[in-house]
């Protein structure tokens, strides 16, 4: 069902500082920036590679408020890997298939994600402690 790893989401306190760190250390390039009010984040996507079905990225996430998912995560665990996102061809179909296996879906329907994608989250407690995101990339023009 999974085609690829779409991105690894990393929680940070200061987006600009962490962008500079990842650019300097890994020579990655920012290809998109967005503020997603619904998810409570300001984020940047740094491109790693292109593959069949879409690219793969590091996603840097700064919370918009302390009571957002990333804000709470930072308070509890500090900076670091926040979630892993799998690229799927059809997010609604993946939600249905995974939900039928007893994994709790954190979203009732797909939501708006980075770069025009459709996304949904799975409960970390049902996936070995890893907050998991399903991503259907935006259709290519
Ligand atoms: C919480 N837990 C995690 C976790 N966040 N475990 C692994 N990774 C994480 N990121 C654990 C807690 O430690 C706790 O375990 C248990 O899950 C319940 O957490 P909680 O602290 O009681 O509950 P909340 O209120 O913090 O909710 C956690 C939950 C929430 C994962 C349900 O953050 C959520 O709905 N996340 C999905 C949306 C999201 O994260 N959006 C931001 C990225 P213990 O053992 O202490 O009970 S948006 C994004 O990434 C978009 C822009 C995109 O990719 O395009």
């Amino acid at each position: 069902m999974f085609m690829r790893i779409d991105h690894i989401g990393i929680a940070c306190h200061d987006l600009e500082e962490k962008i500079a760190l990842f650019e300097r250390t890994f020579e990655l390039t920012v290809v998109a920036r967005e503020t997603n009010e619904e998810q409570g984040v300001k984020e940047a996507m740094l491109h790693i590679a292109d593959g069949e079905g879409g690219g793969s990225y590091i996603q840097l996430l700064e919370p918009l408020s302390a009571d957002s998912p990333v804000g709470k995560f930072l308070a509890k665990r500090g900076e670091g890997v926040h979630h892993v996102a799998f690229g799927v061809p059809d997010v609604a179909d993946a939600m249905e298939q995974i939900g039928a296996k007893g994994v709790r879906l954190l979203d009732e329907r797909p939501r708006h994600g980075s770069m025009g994608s459709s996304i949904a989250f799975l409960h970390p407690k049902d996936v070995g402690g890893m907050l998991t995101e399903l991503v259907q990339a935006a259709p290519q023009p």
Side-chain angles (χ1 to χ4, degrees), residues 2-53:
F2 299 130
M3 299 187 298
R4 62 201 164 81
I5 289 187
D6 185 280
H7 66 264
I8 309 285
I10 297 175
C12 63
H13 291 291
D14 184 332
L15 186 63
E16 299 310 322
E17 181 193 293
K18 286 300 178 297
I19 288 173
L21 173 71
F22 275 74
E23 285 179 336
R24 189 170 69 240
T25 307
F26 301 113
E27 299 181 7
L28 298 177
T29 304
V30 174
V31 291
R33 284 172 182 259
E34 201 170 320
T35 295
N36 187 324
E37 301 278 353
E38 185 182 35
Q39 295 291 342
V41 293
K42 193 162 78 165
E43 50 105 342
M45 297 293 269
L46 291 87
H47 180 252
I48 296 179
D50 285 317
E52 202 178 324

Side-chain angles (χ1 to χ4, degrees), residues 6-7 9 34-36 38-43 45 59 61 67-73 76-77 81-83 85 106-107 111-115 117-125 128-135:
D6 185 280
H7 66 264
E34 201 170 320
T35 295
N36 187 324
E38 185 182 35
Q39 295 291 342
V41 293
K42 193 162 78 165
E43 50 105 342
M45 297 293 269
Q59 180 186 59
L61 299 158
D67 64 352
S68 64
V70 175
K72 286 198 219 167
F73 178 90
K76 204 166 177 179
R77 300 185 179 207
V81 175
H82 177 260
H83 66 267
L106 293 171
D107 300 290
R111 296 182 188 278
H112 162 71
S114 302
M115 302 190 296
S117 62
S118 295
I119 63 171
F121 285 90
L122 310 177
H123 201 290
K125 291 290 176 193
M130 177 179 83
L131 177 58
T132 304
E133 180 183 333
L134 306 172
V135 182

